[in-house]
Amino acid sequence: MEKPDSYCEYVSTLNEDDLHRVYHDTKYGFQVNSDDELFGRLILEINQAGLSWTTILKKQDNFRVAFSNFNIKKIANYKEKDIERLLANSGIIRNKLKINAVIFNANKIIEIQKKHGSFKSWLNEQQSLDLESWVKLFKVNFKFTGGEITKEFLMSTGYVNGAHIKSCRINKRINNLKNQ
């Protein structure tokens, strides 16, 4: 079989209950309204660095539990015992740099929320930026957010285009939701 040209073409060959297909059809590129869920998506993208997306999809529920249901305020208050707990958790990626980045980023998002009302509002205020400017903004504000992580976070949450090809049925559904 020829290699598919896009994620959309790839998942169309998978069973309906495949992790990639479920993610593609229900989350990838869809707008996220909750700050905690936005942060959760960023946590997954940070942890994917250097690994396959399949690994992260298999562990996504474990990440949610391990990181206090992605509650920004709780994560911002993590102490050394929480870091040790996370490093001992085989259900997630046990990388101290990534764990520390998540805690740092939670604290940064709290600062953003105080200044802008919400993380989502801050992201919305940046809507006119091109990808290169987004990447610079993320590098200034957050840890462990290089170009690919930032791009995937923004695509996965609908802030930049590219999550789906034009002919993808999910792309059409996302566009319909935006126009409502």
Side-chain angles (χ1 to χ4, degrees):
M1 182 176 151
E2 232 178 272
K3 184 179 179 203
D5 291 329
S6 69
Y7 192 52
C8 300
E9 291 175 1
Y10 167 70
V11 300
S12 70
T13 66
L14 303 174
N15 293 330
E16 298 265 336
D17 62 348
D18 182 272
L19 288 170
H20 283 281
R21 179 95 182 250
V22 171
Y23 177 75
H24 172 274
D25 290 0
T26 63
K27 293 182 181 175
Y28 195 50
F30 286 84
Q31 183 179 21
V32 178
N33 294 313
S34 157
D35 278 7
D36 289 341
E37 289 302 314
L38 282 165
F39 186 52
R41 198 70 64 85
L42 185 58
I43 290 171
L44 296 179
E45 294 297 345
I46 287 169
N47 278 279
Q48 189 272 327
L51 303 168
S52 75
W53 188 240
T54 302
T55 299
I56 300 305
L57 289 176
K58 286 178 180 177
K59 293 178 179 273
Q60 65 185 325
D61 294 334
N62 298 339
F63 275 104
R64 181 177 294 281
V65 171
F67 284 97
S68 303
N69 203 31
F70 302 140
N71 183 298
I72 296 165
K73 289 178 182 162
K74 287 182 180 178
I75 296 168
N77 288 308
Y78 279 6
K79 305 294 182 226
E80 193 59 40
K81 68 178 174 45
D82 297 295
I83 294 169
E84 290 170 16
R85 171 184 58 82
L86 292 166
L87 288 170
N89 185 338
S90 63
I92 64 168
I93 305 305
R94 296 177 288 181
N95 178 307
K96 193 167 188 174
L97 289 174
K98 292 177 181 183
I99 291 167
N100 287 335
V102 167
I103 297 166
F104 175 91
N105 294 344
N107 281 284
K108 187 63 179 184
I109 289 173
I110 288 173
E111 287 177 29
I112 288 169
Q113 289 171 325
K114 287 177 183 171
K115 211 179 220 181
H116 300 271
S118 70
F119 183 37
K120 182 170 180 54
S121 292
W122 180 78
L123 290 166
N124 289 343
E125 289 168 18
Q126 318 307 322
Q127 195 68 47
S128 64
L129 296 178
D130 63 11
L131 183 58
E132 184 180 329
S133 298
W134 275 106
V135 170
K136 286 178 185 173
L137 181 68
F138 268 62
K139 281 186 177 183
V140 166
N141 284 285
F142 303 111
K143 290 190 176 185
F144 226 99
T145 54
E148 195 62 25
I149 290 168
T150 301
K151 180 183 92 175
E152 281 300 325
F153 167 75
L154 294 169
M155 280 194 336
S156 77
T157 56
Y159 280 96
V160 298
N161 293 328
H164 301 277
I165 58 175
K166 284 186 178 186
S167 61
C168 177
R169 65 184 174 77
I170 302 304
N171 186 53
K172 292 171 186 165
R173 192 161 99 209
I174 290 170
N175 287 333
N176 287 338
L177 289 171
K178 284 180 185 176
N179 295 327
Q180 289 181 354

